[in-house]
Amino acid sequence: MRVAIIILNYNGKHFLEKYIPILSKSISKETAKIIVADNASTDDSLEYLRSHHSDVEIFEFDRNYGFAEGYNIAIKRTNTEYVLLLNSDVEVTPGFLEPLVDYMDANPKVAACQPKILQMDNREYFEKAGAAGGMIDVLGYPFCRGRIMDHTEKDNGQYDNNAIVFWASGACMFVRRDDFIDYGGFDADFFAHQEEIDLCFRFNARDRQVAAVPKSVVYHLGGGTLNYNDPKKTYLNFRNNLFLLYKNLHTRHLIPVLIARFFLDYLAALVFLLKGDFRCAGMVIKARFDYLRMKSKFKEKRRQNLEVSIANGIPCVHKGSIVFEFYLFRRHSL
């Protein structure tokens, strides 16, 4: 058994009912096993699994550890070479796993990769959370091949090439188990959102690589746990993005980036206000205050990261500002 496919679940019986049968039919039982790590669900998710999918292994947690720590605990309990982190609202396709395994076997420098991720309801278009591979710009804004800001591209085969990228989506991340553990796993202080970008930042900074393997295809519903427009998602994305910058950027880069982000974040809050979205505007401001309040928790992590970061610069960083390119120059694709 080479692959453990881990689905983190919290009150997601409706997703398990819909997507576990498809997943089960799409993999070889000699190659991979399915594990559901349950974050103390209060619905009857576990009863459903025990009654209908006795071949699925269950890790039952005593409380909700969130996305980051939930996966950390689950992955440490496995003993396979590879681990696939799979959101419960992802529909896989037949044969999706083999290209990921083959690519990683052939490229030992690659620590993690992802498939092509398309929208569940509009299957000709890329999905926001990962699309055809994650990138990051000079100011720390994440975007994707196939998705810049809120604009998603139609899949016309323009990204049907294997590519080295900056980050792989946590919605469907295929990773070497030992690399995940050796490089610190997900930061539990993030709780959820952008923890996979933070981990991939560490991979890149230690001269490991991350890739997109589009021969493998999955469909992602997105917002299954937290709606894309939920103010809490806004808060976590803004706060955690500041955390990952503080943890991973050398001071000579961090200071100018944080100065720029101060103005851009408050500009984002102003835009929310002008749209009448007062809750999201408040969440942006709260995220900035909480970053300052909690920053000391990350001081030692920052020191450890910078001690081992490669000296010649981190690869796959977009040299411009994707925000300015998108809003001022209407750039909607790479």
Side-chain angles (χ1 to χ4, degrees), residues 98-121:
E98 285 76 11
L100 303 175
V101 174
D102 292 346
Y103 183 87
M104 296 285 274
D105 284 348
N107 296 275
K109 191 174 181 178
V110 175
C113 66
Q114 70 158 73
K116 179 193 294 185
I117 305 176
L118 301 175
Q119 295 179 28
M120 187 75 73
D121 297 329

Side-chain angles (χ1 to χ4, degrees), residues 231-239 242 261-273 277-291:
K232 186 175 181 181
K233 184 182 285 284
T234 298
Y235 166 76
L236 289 170
N237 276 325
F238 274 84
R239 187 198 69 174
L242 292 170
R261 288 297 301 272
F262 175 86
F263 293 103
L264 287 170
D265 287 355
Y266 280 105
L267 178 60
L270 177 60
V271 171
F272 279 125
L273 280 175
D277 193 341
F278 301 106
R279 293 181 66 197
C280 281
M283 285 299 179
V284 174
I285 296 170
K286 175 176 169 56
R288 290 208 56 91
F289 276 93
D290 283 354
Y291 158 70

Side-chain angles (χ1 to χ4, degrees), residues 246 295-305:
Y246 177 72
K295 187 172 71 171
S296 60
K297 294 179 64 174
F298 296 90
K299 188 173 182 179
E300 178 59 21
K301 298 174 188 178
R302 170 177 168 80
R303 186 193 64 78
Q304 293 175 3
N305 285 343

